[in-house]
Amino acid sequence: AAARMSAQTVIFVDVDGVLNVGLTQGEANTLMLSLRNMALARRVQLDGRASKASKDAAESLLNLAAAPLSGEAGTLQKYMCPDHGISDLLVERLAKLLLAAG
């Protein structure tokens, strides 16, 4: 009898922009929608000495977080990630997709 071989599938996922939400600032800078960056954005808004560029970036990030979602309840803040840079909710959704794919 022929030996039966088990097969495993390995899937590589480029998580940047798939498992997190960010805001592009210029050519090479992305401002991640994270707990740390949201706290910093709130502090910058209150800092009278902050530069215009910093205040603009803070406002953009806060507006991004408040943006309504399409097709589901809530705002993009729902996908905010802890400081490790990956949204737990988006990881959960990817895991469900992978399980469904078999």
Side-chain angles (χ1 to χ4, degrees), residues 8-19:
Q8 294 183 344
T9 302
V10 177
I11 299 174
F12 293 95
V13 178
D14 178 5
V15 299
D16 191 30
V18 174
L19 298 180

Side-chain angles (χ1 to χ4, degrees), residues 37-58:
N37 287 342
M38 288 294 288
L40 179 60
R42 288 184 189 103
R43 283 196 308 271
V44 165
Q45 277 192 319
L46 299 174
D47 184 354
R49 299 169 295 159
S51 70
K52 179 176 177 355
S54 293
K55 287 189 177 209
D56 289 348

Side-chain angles (χ1 to χ4, degrees), residues 43-89:
R43 283 196 308 271
V44 165
Q45 277 192 319
L46 299 174
D47 184 354
R49 299 169 295 159
S51 70
K52 179 176 177 355
S54 293
K55 287 189 177 209
D56 289 348
E59 183 179 351
S60 293
L61 187 65
L62 293 168
N63 288 339
L64 177 69
L69 294 171
S70 178
E72 64 183 280
T75 64
L76 276 172
Q77 186 165 350
K78 172 178 181 173
Y79 298 109
M80 184 168 36
C81 58
D83 295 325
H84 58 67
I86 297 176
S87 166
D88 295 334
L89 182 56

